[in-house]
């Protein structure tokens, strides 16, 4: 979770429009609109793996520990990365030659 909040056990669920951090009873602790996500990055720090989700004005951190920590962090990074879209420019149509 974000730096300002205490550590809580959560599971991340990634959809096309939102990322949800849910508790063990599947209650939403945090909802992040995918449209606000600027980047996602996983890294090892102090015997744990951190996934940082950077969005406008703040950074959310999710921590993984244990034998599969790297695997879970990389899966989260990849999955979130697959739903954030970089804006592509719309190019004007060119006119056909001789038109």
């Amino acid at each position: 979770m974000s730096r300002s909040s205490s550590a809580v056990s959560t599971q991340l669920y990634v959809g096309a429009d939102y990322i949800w951090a849910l508790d063990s009873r599947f209650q939403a602790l945090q909802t992040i609109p995918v449209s606000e996500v600027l980047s996602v990055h996983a890294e090892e720090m102090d015997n744990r793996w951190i996934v940082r989700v950077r969005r406008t004005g703040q950074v959310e951190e999710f921590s993984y520990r244990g034998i599969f920590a790297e695997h879970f962090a990389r899966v989260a990074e990849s999955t979130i990365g697959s739903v954030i879209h970089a804006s592509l420019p719309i190019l004007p149509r060119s006119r056909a030659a001789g038109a």
Side-chain angles (χ1 to χ4, degrees), residues 88-92:
L88 296 176
I90 297 175
L91 300 175

Side-chain angles (χ1 to χ4, degrees), residues 50-94:
I50 304 291
V51 175
R52 286 192 179 91
V53 179
R54 186 171 312 279
R55 61 184 185 150
T56 309
Q58 64 193 70
V59 176
E60 310 298 340
E61 288 187 349
F62 300 94
S63 175
Y64 295 89
R65 294 180 186 268
I67 193 166
F68 296 110
E70 179 180 6
H71 172 74
F72 291 138
R74 299 258 186 227
V75 168
E77 177 186 42
S78 174
T79 304
I80 294 168
S82 72
V83 296
I84 60 175
H85 304 288
S87 301
L88 296 176
I90 297 175
L91 300 175
R93 289 186 175 198
S94 60

Side-chain angles (χ1 to χ4, degrees), residues 9-82:
S9 180
T10 63
Q11 293 183 12
L12 293 179
Y13 291 85
V14 180
D17 298 318
Y18 294 95
I19 300 163
W20 296 274
L22 305 179
D23 68 10
S24 61
R25 294 181 304 216
F26 299 102
Q27 304 226 347
L29 299 173
Q30 187 169 21
T31 303
I32 303 169
V34 169
S35 62
E36 292 181 6
V37 177
L38 302 173
S39 66
V40 60
H41 178 70
E43 67 178 298
E44 184 179 19
M45 182 178 13
D46 299 328
N47 295 324
R48 60 191 173 122
W49 278 81
I50 304 291
V51 175
R52 286 192 179 91
V53 179
R54 186 171 312 279
R55 61 184 185 150
T56 309
Q58 64 193 70
V59 176
E60 310 298 340
E61 288 187 349
F62 300 94
S63 175
Y64 295 89
R65 294 180 186 268
I67 193 166
F68 296 110
E70 179 180 6
H71 172 74
F72 291 138
R74 299 258 186 227
V75 168
E77 177 186 42
S78 174
T79 304
I80 294 168
S82 72

